[in-house]
Amino acid sequence: IFNHGYDHFGNGVDAQGRAVFEFKNSSLADQIDHLRRTQALARSKLGITIRAFGAPFNATDSLTVDALRAVPELQVWIFGQPGAGKFVLPRVAEAEFPTHYPDAAQFVAQYDPTIAIITLQLHPAGWADARWLEFEKIVRFLKSRNASFTTPSDLYRFRHPDVRTYLDPSY
């Protein structure tokens, strides 16, 4: 589970004609509010503290860096920018070609075994049986390369074992 924003907004246009997303070309106050509302919702409904963030549409701007600084319990930024004091997981590989369509052949063709950490962005809610089979092929390929699988939050804990704030019993 990661904080993916509060409303997944990505349809607006501002007065300057720029596309507006939940975390791009929106105000700092709105970005902080959406991060905090999502954190509060996870605490109240799920009883957990979310530790990772990934923006809807992967759309962020410089204000997102500032917004994330305001929410210290978010420790991992999936496909993030430097400067927020977060553990950033870069975008170095794809599994869906295009979004919602896993493709094992394309994944294998672009696979780089020298990359230590690969973060895969997946959208399984939109998959039918054939798409699940493609994903299974990707997983089998990675297992044949002795890949390990983990969550962004657990990777953070492994890489930062001295972080005391991670020992939250609600996690």
Side-chain angles (χ1 to χ4, degrees), residues 35-116:
L35 290 170
R36 288 182 175 159
R37 287 172 78 176
T38 302
Q39 292 298 104
L41 190 61
R43 273 190 297 278
S44 70
K45 299 294 183 184
L46 303 174
I48 64 169
T49 299
I50 297 175
R51 301 293 181 187
F53 168 74
F57 309 101
N58 300 309
T60 62
D61 59 23
S62 62
L63 294 179
T64 313
V65 173
D66 296 330
L68 282 165
R69 278 195 215 112
V71 186
E73 68 265 23
L74 288 170
Q75 298 164 326
V76 180
W77 189 356
I78 302 165
F79 306 152
Q81 303 174 39
K86 308 300 179 186
F87 179 56
V88 173
L89 294 173
R91 189 173 197 158
V92 295
E94 301 296 333
E96 295 179 331
F97 303 88
T99 302
H100 298 280
Y101 292 85
D103 187 317
Q106 287 192 65
F107 176 80
V108 170
Q110 56 99 42
Y111 176 74
D112 181 350
T114 66
I115 298 173

Side-chain angles (χ1 to χ4, degrees), residues 5-27:
Y6 189 73
D7 62 13
H8 210 276
F9 182 76
N11 253 4
V13 176
D14 68 10
Q16 291 80 34
R18 299 177 302 172
V20 176
F21 297 86
E22 189 172 4
F23 294 97
K24 183 174 183 179
N25 298 326
S26 56
S27 74

Side-chain angles (χ1 to χ4, degrees), residues 117-145:
I117 298 171
I118 297 173
T119 304
L120 297 179
Q121 180 175 2
L122 303 164
H123 300 84
W127 297 352
D129 290 346
R131 294 183 199 175
W132 275 104
L133 291 173
E134 286 299 302
F135 174 64
E136 288 174 11
K137 290 178 192 175
I138 292 168
V139 170
R140 281 195 296 279
F141 170 78
L142 290 169
K143 284 183 168 185
S144 76
R145 301 301 189 272

